[in-house]
Amino acid sequence: MSTYTAPMKDMQFVLHELAGLDAIARLPGYGDVSTELVDAVLEGAATFSGEVWGPLNKVGDQQGLKRHDDGRVTTPKGFVEAYAKFVESGWNGLRFDPAFGGQGLPKLVDTAVMEMWNASNMAFSMAPLLTQGAIEAVFLRGSDSQKQRYLHKMVSGQWTGTMNLTEPQAGSDLGLIRSKATPEGDHYRIQGQKIFISFGEHDLTDNIVHLVLARTPTAPEGVKGISLFLVPKFLVNDDGSLGERNDVRCVSIEHKMGIHASPTAVLAFGDGPGAIGYLIGEENRGLEYMFIMMNEARFGVGVQGLGVAERAYQQALAHAKDRVQGKDATAPKGPSVPIIRHPDVRRMLMSMKSRVEAMRALAYVVAAMFDQAHRASDDAERNTAHAGVDLLIPILKGWCTETGVEVASTGIQIHGGMGFIEETGAAQHLRDARITTIYEGTTGIQANDLIGRKVLRDGGRSMQALLSQIDAVCEQLEAGDDAQLHAIGARLREGSKSLADSVRWILATGMQDLNAVLAGAVPFLHLCGVVCGGWQMGRAALAAQRKLAAGDGDAAFYRAKVATARFFADQDLSRARGLAEATMHAGASTMALAEEQF
Amino acid sequence: MKILVAVKRVVDYNVKVRVKADGTGVDIANVKMSMNPFDEIAVEEAVRLKEKGVASEIVAVSCGVAQCQETLRTAMAIGADRGILVETGDELQPLAVAKLLKALVEQEKPALVILGKQAIDDDCNQTGQMLAALLGRPQGTFASKVEVEDGRVRVTREVDGGLETLSLATPAVVTTDLRLNEPRYVTLPNIMKAKKKPLAVLKPADLGVDVAPRLETLSVREPSGRKAGVKVADVAALVDKLKNEAKVI
């Protein structure tokens, strides 16, 4: 069975050297955060993820879930106990307001911990991920009494939360939502059917807090007529005890390609008198509230891509060291060797390792921007961080999930035929990773968001700001006399130019020929991902080189960091020009055929 | 009653250690360090005694470099109430640690001292016994069960022939075996609380203890690798080899 060990050393390197943990710890309200505390928190989470969640990953995949005739859903063996331990250990509340029982730690620290949950058991990690989204919604837009009634138990994890958006006819287009909410006294009666509801029904907790999008009778058509409701599985009495069972039932669960231990429910609201729901915020502003959380949710899925990739890498690495096959190409008469000696296997391992490290660096840097956007004392700093987050979210979500799938696929390749056999466990990572490019907005939707809202809308200003940060790193890489850093700098410079060319083209073309620009949207997103990954790996190489020059710490680790950054530059960043060409020329052919010609 | 628990910072049990090129010791630069697993069991046992209402205060002690503070914070996250670090960069051998602990026992006056039976780095298995001897107090080593009743400690020990049960007058010294308990997972709220608990730092000189090593390490070497086995033709050949080559029968 594959095990998971949190990559503490790299996590700490990224937290301190690239994401600026010290600066985040100095933000208002994070007074208690110190390096020692963060180390202790990460150690605790590493142990828990490795020993409790990790071993259940395969069990969950193989056993899956069971829906009973009465609508109950039971989770795989060991999940109920593990979740109880998770709640008891207080991990769910890590980043939430201490007023509701949380620990108030920065999102940056939360991100490293979330990576561990995702890597050790992505299906399981859906429970806290969804709960945290629901907490955020209630916290930001709920009334005081709603907060008092629901948040304490959601923050502790004693109750989980869900997000009910999708309906059979309303997927990526939520304007088509039909679920109804009829006012009745201080509440509403909800009727309708919701699909794809992660952890919509399960046996881990005694209550589930559903957040549901629905239309009131007087609501306008389309996206401007959707309201958000809180619909508990069991109604909650004034004293906090559980009351009557609400009129919401799980009518089926989906059979999926991956994340088998994460129940994806079809929920029927109001088969009887209608489920009792409580309005969150104001009527007709539901979608707007959902969008407040959209960045967080998309970020969370990007981190899933990173987590699964790390897990796939660990398993492939163990196999490559263990599997003896073939001779060393330079010593054909010698003994058979572990396959890690073969250059092509080494190339695959390096591609996995370098991409994982690039994704981690970018994810943690964006997490630090979230913290700055929320907490920085200076208005200008907060706004800059906000703009950075808005620009980088579609890139992070799209690129980390697409790359996660590729890394998991490479992991199978390293296993050879054994990788294709389910018992090996390498295939699970690919099957689990596959959903990440789809939910919370497909890669195509991320790419359209990137081009439409993040590049065209502001005339490329945030992109310019990003490019100048990248160019500043190029200058640092080119400044010294280190040949490795020069080589990385040259690739990054080329990447930055390719990106700048594409942005210019998008700005020039977008107004006359929107289809041409959107046809190249996904190659453009990949281009942004590779260049941002290269930017962070360039910073990593600089930081590692500084440490080496100072003779500070683990020289072997820092040398490996520089070599890994070099690999990323030569193998991934070198594709930037090709991606720029694909972006700028997609319009010439993509829409050329008439529909009948397909 | 007060319990004193000694915890040692050692190379993490997952780390594959390497001998330094010059043979002077094991290379611990840049490797992961953790609390000695037997000491974790010791802290857990003390915390369980406190949760049962038997113990009133748990003091965790560590001797060594400044980073041992992290080990003490871990002990406090499991449930120790405060920590004492006897800070020194010098090599500490079991006798020196036993003397430091003796001085602290005389200051703190605990009814029970719990230690791991041995540390996974040097595997000495001496400190607890030396401490009991220096204090002139009873010892129960390799404990697999600890019960406190009427001011005495009943210790079940794992010995070669089976289980032995001792009843010790307090103050007493107990060292833990692997099967005494399974340490809990530290909780996030307790990790946060641990950093606010008091941690005192002393020097060996403050306790009037000379920690100079009494033993000298001549050299440290990797164990020789295992040799490949051979197939024998029949039982007679096997017996012959056991008799004449291995000389075990």
Side-chain angles (χ1 to χ4, degrees):
Chain A
M1 193 179 65
S2 88
T3 56
Y4 168 69
T5 309
M8 294 287 282
K9 211 159 199 167
D10 198 56
M11 288 178 158
Q12 272 158 338
F13 173 82
V14 176
L15 286 172
H16 290 284
E17 305 301 328
L18 304 181
L21 179 61
D22 291 351
I24 298 301
R26 282 195 299 271
L27 290 175
Y30 291 147
D32 288 348
V33 178
S34 63
T35 303
E36 294 75 29
L37 176 74
V38 172
D39 283 350
V41 168
L42 294 186
E43 284 287 346
T47 308
F48 197 88
S49 62
E51 293 181 12
V52 181
W53 290 44
L56 288 174
N57 196 37
K58 195 169 180 181
V59 177
D61 184 55
Q62 290 179 332
Q63 280 186 16
L65 301 143
K66 185 165 169 50
R67 181 187 168 276
H68 303 267
D69 290 341
D70 58 1
R72 280 182 308 121
V73 172
T74 43
T75 50
K77 193 165 185 277
F79 275 55
V80 169
E81 295 78 5
Y83 187 78
K85 259 186 218 164
F86 176 73
V87 171
E88 200 182 293
S89 303
W91 290 109
N92 200 57
L94 193 139
R95 72 181 158 100
F96 293 109
D97 191 336
F100 297 101
Q103 298 299 334
L105 288 170
K107 186 168 179 73
L108 178 54
V109 178
D110 182 59
T111 299
V113 172
M114 286 304 285
E115 184 196 326
M116 295 184 201
W117 303 154
N118 280 310
S120 58
N121 200 321
M122 185 178 138
F124 209 160
S125 75
M126 293 292 285
L129 187 71
L130 270 298
T131 305
Q132 290 173 13
I135 290 170
E136 201 79 33
V138 177
F139 183 74
L140 290 174
R141 290 294 178 265
S143 66
D144 282 343
S145 76
Q146 285 169 343
K147 289 185 200 179
Q148 287 307 331
R149 192 166 294 214
Y150 299 100
L151 278 186
H152 294 276
K153 292 216 164 164
M154 292 172 77
V155 166
S156 71
Q158 284 163 288
W159 297 346
T160 58
T162 69
M163 301 297 219
N164 290 245
L165 284 72
T166 309
E167 296 177 9
Q169 77 293 346
S172 297
D173 185 358
L174 291 169
L176 302 174
I177 279 176
R178 284 206 287 252
S179 288
K180 279 188 297 197
T182 316
E184 181 187 282
D186 67 342
H187 58 260
Y188 292 72
R189 291 280 181 178
I190 313 289
Q191 276 167 319
Q193 194 184 66
K194 293 286 179 181
I195 62 168
F196 296 170
I197 309 309
S198 296
F199 277 88
E201 179 59 35
H202 59 78
D203 58 353
L204 301 180
T205 57
D206 57 10
N207 204 6
I208 303 174
V209 179
H210 302 293
L211 296 189
V212 184
L213 289 182
R215 289 180 186 284
T216 55
T218 56
E221 288 286 302
V223 292
K224 295 217 181 324
I226 297 172
S227 307
L228 181 63
F229 298 91
L230 186 156
V231 185
K233 177 176 162 183
F234 283 93
L235 300 180
V236 179
N237 298 325
D238 288 341
D239 65 357
S241 63
L242 293 186
E244 230 174 288
R245 179 76 160 83
N246 208 351
D247 187 11
V248 46
R249 295 277 184 287
C250 168
V251 292
S252 70
I253 52 172
E254 309 292 349
H255 300 275
K256 306 188 296 296
M257 176 179 179
I259 52 170
H260 288 165
S262 167
T264 305
V266 176
L267 293 182
F269 292 86
D271 268 356
I276 291 179
Y278 309 97
L279 180 70
I280 299 225
E282 294 169 32
E283 279 188 11
N284 299 331
R285 296 184 66 182
L287 211 59
E288 178 194 326
Y289 301 156
M290 280 288 162
F291 266 95
I292 300 172
M293 294 174 298
M294 200 66 91
N295 272 347
E296 299 259 1
R298 291 182 169 174
F299 177 82
V301 176
V303 174
Q304 291 190 322
L306 159 65
V308 181
E310 169 68 36
R311 181 72 182 258
Y313 170 61
Q314 290 191 14
Q315 183 161 0
L317 178 62
H319 179 77
K321 284 182 169 175
D322 184 57
R323 173 75 169 163
V324 174
Q325 199 79 177
K327 314 278 186 196
D328 186 327
T330 58
K333 293 211 171 106
S336 295
V337 295
I339 60 171
I340 192 170
R341 302 264 178 89
H342 304 318
D344 184 57
V345 174
R346 203 59 89 81
R347 175 192 62 79
M348 289 190 278
L349 286 171
M350 281 299 277
S351 91
M352 296 177 88
K353 177 178 161 65
S354 61
R355 287 167 175 200
V356 166
E357 290 180 16
M359 287 191 275
R360 177 174 299 124
L362 186 61
Y364 291 15
V365 164
V366 174
M369 283 183 187
F370 267 105
D371 285 322
Q372 278 160 338
H374 286 130
R375 297 282 181 112
S377 43
D378 182 66
D379 273 355
E381 258 177 76
R382 271 205 309 276
N383 290 339
T384 310
H386 247 301
V389 168
D390 281 344
L391 174 65
L392 288 168
I393 284 295
I395 299 172
L396 183 93
K397 199 279 180 183
W399 180 64
C400 287
T401 58
E402 291 282 340
T403 308
V405 171
E406 284 178 27
V407 169
S409 180
T410 307
I412 293 179
Q413 191 71 15
I414 287 175
H415 283 80
M418 290 307 293
F420 198 63
I421 307 291
E422 283 290 355
E423 281 95 315
T424 308
Q428 184 192 344
H429 310 312
L430 179 62
R431 290 188 287 98
D432 285 352
R434 197 60 192 81
I435 184 61
T436 60
T437 66
I438 300 170
Y439 59 20
E440 292 299 341
T442 61
T443 307
I445 284 180
Q446 304 304 322
N448 289 351
D449 173 58
L450 177 61
I451 287 199
R453 292 199 190 87
K454 313 295 163 68
V455 177
L456 286 176
R457 190 181 284 178
D458 79 345
R461 261 192 302 280
S462 347
M463 201 45 118
Q464 260 333 310
L466 175 67
L467 280 164
S468 48
Q469 287 189 60
I470 295 174
D471 289 342
V473 173
C474 289
E475 272 160 37
Q476 291 175 45
L477 286 162
E478 291 156 349
D481 50 8
D482 186 288
Q484 291 270 55
L485 298 188
H486 280 191
I488 296 167
R491 294 283 187 204
L492 186 57
R493 182 71 78 184
E494 179 62 23
S496 157
K497 274 189 198 142
S498 304
L499 180 52
D501 291 348
S502 303
V503 170
R504 254 194 309 280
W505 176 82
I506 288 168
L507 290 171
T509 316
M511 294 305 155
Q512 315 94 319
D513 191 356
L514 189 60
N515 271 350
V517 170
L518 294 181
V522 168
F524 178 68
L525 183 144
H526 278 277
L527 169 62
C528 293
V530 182
V531 174
C532 287
W535 165 42
Q536 292 307 324
M537 289 306 273
R539 294 182 64 220
L542 285 164
Q545 203 60 23
R546 272 197 303 275
K547 292 279 181 186
L548 283 167
D552 183 6
D554 187 349
F557 174 83
Y558 294 122
R559 277 196 294 271
K561 187 54 102 175
V562 175
T564 308
R566 174 78 193 265
F567 183 94
F568 188 88
D570 289 341
Q571 302 296 322
D572 282 52
L573 255 182
S574 60
R575 297 177 192 181
R577 181 41 62 183
L579 288 165
E581 294 294 320
T583 302
M584 296 185 282
H585 297 282
S589 54
T590 305
M591 302 296 281
L593 275 60
E595 269 178 50
E596 310 79 72
Q597 288 175 282
F598 281 94
Chain B
M1 78 185 211
K2 188 195 272 188
I3 300 180
L4 192 132
V5 186
V7 296
K8 184 177 184 184
R9 179 174 180 267
V10 297
V11 173
D12 187 82
Y13 69 97
N14 282 310
V15 172
K16 213 175 151 200
V17 292
R18 284 211 184 84
V19 171
K20 281 188 204 163
D22 62 4
T24 54
V26 169
D27 190 2
I28 58 163
N30 305 312
V31 303
K32 186 177 177 221
M33 306 293 280
S34 307
M35 188 190 297
N36 178 36
F38 290 106
D39 300 346
E40 223 179 311
I41 294 172
V43 180
E44 174 70 31
E45 194 62 20
V47 175
R48 289 186 190 190
L49 287 170
K50 190 176 172 194
E51 285 167 349
K52 277 185 213 152
V54 175
S56 52
E57 190 190 17
I58 302 167
V59 184
V61 178
S62 192
C63 304
V65 293
Q67 291 91 323
C68 294
Q69 290 195 23
E70 292 161 25
T71 317
L72 287 168
R73 293 286 173 206
T74 308
M76 291 189 272
I78 299 172
D81 297 293
R82 59 190 170 93
I84 302 174
L85 169 62
V86 184
E87 189 183 334
T88 170
D90 294 341
E91 180 196 345
L92 289 178
Q93 293 178 349
L95 183 60
V97 176
K99 287 179 184 168
L100 292 171
L101 292 177
K102 173 179 181 266
L104 284 172
V105 168
E106 282 163 356
Q107 280 185 10
E108 294 284 340
K109 303 199 172 20
L112 195 58
V113 182
I114 312 182
L115 310 84
K117 72 169 181 180
Q118 68 195 74
I120 61 165
D121 49 1
D122 56 22
D123 276 336
C124 277
N125 191 344
Q126 295 167 352
T127 308
Q129 294 88 330
M130 286 174 169
L131 174 63
L134 291 174
L135 288 169
R137 296 302 309 171
Q139 58 179 292
T141 53
F142 319 148
S144 63
K145 195 173 180 187
V146 175
E147 297 151 290
V148 178
E149 47 194 17
D150 309 328
R152 294 183 76 82
V153 191
R154 264 167 77 88
V155 177
T156 306
R157 315 178 58 226
E158 301 195 350
V159 294
D160 285 347
L163 296 176
E164 178 186 56
T165 306
L166 302 175
S167 174
L168 312 176
T170 55
V173 176
V174 171
T175 74
T176 62
D177 213 328
L178 205 57
R179 281 159 291 274
L180 178 59
N181 61 48
E182 202 178 314
R184 69 195 62 195
Y185 292 107
V186 291
T187 71
L188 180 60
N190 285 345
I191 292 172
M192 305 286 288
K193 278 180 213 145
K195 66 176 278 236
K196 298 202 172 90
K197 292 182 179 177
L199 196 164
V201 181
L202 309 172
K203 300 279 179 203
D206 300 334
L207 298 169
V209 175
D210 170 18
V211 296
R214 302 296 197 265
L215 305 169
E216 187 193 344
T217 302
L218 299 178
S219 79
V220 177
R221 275 178 300 175
E222 300 263 0
S224 55
R226 255 176 82 166
K227 290 193 191 108
V230 290
K231 267 192 183 159
V232 292
D234 50 28
V235 173
L238 174 67
V239 171
D240 176 65
K241 279 192 182 292
L242 287 172
K243 214 174 231 170
N244 299 316
E245 252 176 53
K247 296 189 168 60
V248 290
I249 54 172

